[in-house]
Amino acid sequence: TGDGFPQIQIKDKLYVVDDRKSTYDKIQKVLKESRTNPVEDKDYDMEIFKLAFGEKEAKEIQKLELKVKEFNELTIYVMAAIQGEEYETIKEAMGKNQ
């Protein structure tokens, strides 16, 4: 399963993460905008999820009504999966960039 792509389990379902460089580059643009020129009322986490999981799956995840901490951690897990890194490594790097 996953066709060679990493997967993340959320509740009872496995979600395939698109770890192609083109997706990573788009996510980096979203992250840069969120830090340097944020648009009011734009949900940057959901933008990342749409790129990483696909539109349909991102909507499924949104409907799960995850807790704030779970939602924030999911963003870190997504970035770790895309970069092939450990969760803690990405969490530390994201903390330094804020």
Side-chain angles (χ1 to χ4, degrees), residues 1 13 15-16 39 43 56 62 69-70 73 76 92:
T1 62
K13 184 173 177 181
Y15 291 89
V16 174
V39 175
D43 188 340
K56 178 184 169 200
Q62 191 173 31
K69 182 178 180 183
E70 294 170 329
E73 287 180 350
I76 298 168
E92 183 178 323

Side-chain angles (χ1 to χ4, degrees), residues 14-30:
L14 281 176
Y15 291 89
V16 174
V17 179
D18 183 347
D19 65 347
R20 294 175 296 171
K21 182 169 180 346
S22 59
T23 300
Y24 175 79
D25 291 343
K26 290 174 189 174
I27 289 173
Q28 290 304 307
K29 286 181 183 179
V30 169

Side-chain angles (χ1 to χ4, degrees), residues 10-73:
I10 305 169
K11 304 224 180 217
D12 296 338
K13 184 173 177 181
L14 281 176
Y15 291 89
V16 174
V17 179
D18 183 347
D19 65 347
R20 294 175 296 171
K21 182 169 180 346
S22 59
T23 300
Y24 175 79
D25 291 343
K26 290 174 189 174
I27 289 173
Q28 290 304 307
K29 286 181 183 179
V30 169
L31 290 171
K32 182 179 179 183
E33 179 183 303
S34 74
R35 288 189 299 266
T36 61
N37 192 22
V39 175
E40 190 175 333
D41 295 330
K42 186 170 184 178
D43 188 340
Y44 288 98
D45 288 321
M46 283 307 297
E47 292 295 316
I48 291 169
F49 295 163
K50 287 177 188 175
L51 291 166
F53 297 118
E55 187 85 28
K56 178 184 169 200
E57 290 78 8
K59 286 180 181 180
E60 277 182 21
I61 293 166
Q62 191 173 31
K63 288 179 183 177
L64 294 174
E65 295 192 27
L66 300 173
K67 295 177 182 176
V68 172
K69 182 178 180 183
E70 294 170 329
F71 201 82
N72 290 338
E73 287 180 350

